[in-house]
Amino acid sequence: MTESDDMIVLDLGCGKHPHPDTDIGVDLHPVEGADIISTLDVADGIEYIPFNNDVASEVHLRHTLEHLSDLDHILSELCRITRSGGEIHIRVPYYNSLNAAVDPTHTDIVNHMTEHTFSYYEDNVLSYETGDASFELLDINYVWRERGLLQRLLPNRVKYELRHEIGNLVEELVIDLQVTA
């Protein structure tokens, strides 16, 4: 097996359009892009994401976390299935955006998705049955709302300062993590 064969890219909650680099897509619904049909939520009775330890070099979750009920559990599981040095790429609605509020399938997790959420976890090692899991925060990017007069007039540096004061300036967060243990 060559090194490139050993690199498995997962897309959890892939929907009909998995990430372009995806080797295996997982979704709750039997859609065209999903290779495995499975829930990822402990509220649905799942204890583990259906993969072995350290199987993925990269994991993508685009608009998935906000549908799950236990952030601690899913982050522990992501660290379990991602090998040390592997990356986890997360895209979620920003806590005060309309995208966070209008979807009735969003759980309470979405109310807490800020740029500070993952800093908390970075400082507190997550644990699961087979050992400790941890990650470092590589990068956080904002997806700015493009519609609306205020959004078009303000430079990003001003929007950055006002992001908590004025709702819907930021639509999404893009978070990149690297598994360290």
Side-chain angles (χ1 to χ4, degrees):
M1 179 180 289
T2 67
E3 187 174 329
S4 63
D5 292 335
D6 203 26
M7 301 295 161
I8 295 175
V9 177
L10 302 176
D11 189 338
L12 304 179
C14 65
K16 296 177 186 176
H17 307 287
H19 187 274
D21 297 333
T22 298
D23 295 310
I24 301 171
V26 178
D27 202 272
L28 178 61
H29 305 286
V31 295
E32 185 176 326
D35 301 299
I36 297 174
I37 310 307
S38 177
T39 183
L40 302 171
D41 200 355
V42 294
D44 295 329
I46 190 167
E47 288 186 54
Y48 302 102
I49 295 175
F51 292 99
N52 292 332
N53 295 355
D54 304 318
V55 71
S57 58
E58 194 173 329
V59 179
H60 294 269
L61 294 99
R62 290 171 299 149
H63 294 282
T64 302
L65 278 187
E66 64 270 22
H67 297 277
L68 305 177
S69 61
D70 188 339
L71 188 58
D72 291 342
H73 182 265
I74 193 68
L75 289 175
S76 289
E77 279 296 288
L78 290 172
C79 288
R80 181 184 66 78
I81 67 171
T82 307
R83 64 184 53 144
S84 184
E87 294 186 3
I88 301 168
H89 305 284
I90 299 168
R91 189 177 196 113
V92 293
Y94 197 57
Y95 81 102
N96 69 356
S97 72
L98 286 176
N99 291 340
V102 299
D103 187 338
T105 66
H106 286 173
T107 64
D108 198 38
I109 286 175
V110 76
N111 297 327
H112 310 289
M113 282 296 163
T114 74
E115 56 278 22
H116 305 293
T117 301
F118 293 91
S119 298
Y120 167 82
Y121 285 103
E122 185 181 23
D123 296 336
N124 296 282
V125 173
L126 299 172
S127 63
Y128 57 95
E129 285 182 19
T130 58
D132 290 332
S134 64
F135 55 83
E136 74 177 65
L137 186 58
L138 295 177
D139 199 12
I140 292 181
N141 289 293
Y142 299 96
V143 177
W144 300 102
R145 185 170 187 260
E146 295 180 9
R147 300 171 302 279
L149 180 62
L150 186 61
Q151 286 83 353
R152 289 194 306 269
L153 293 177
L154 292 176
N156 281 352
R157 65 179 164 66
V158 174
K159 289 191 281 190
Y160 177 81
E161 293 300 322
L162 295 172
R163 70 193 184 283
H164 294 294
E165 310 303 322
I166 301 173
N168 218 32
L169 283 178
V170 179
E171 284 191 305
E172 300 172 336
L173 283 178
V174 179
I175 302 114
D176 297 318
L177 309 172
Q178 184 172 47
V179 175
T180 56

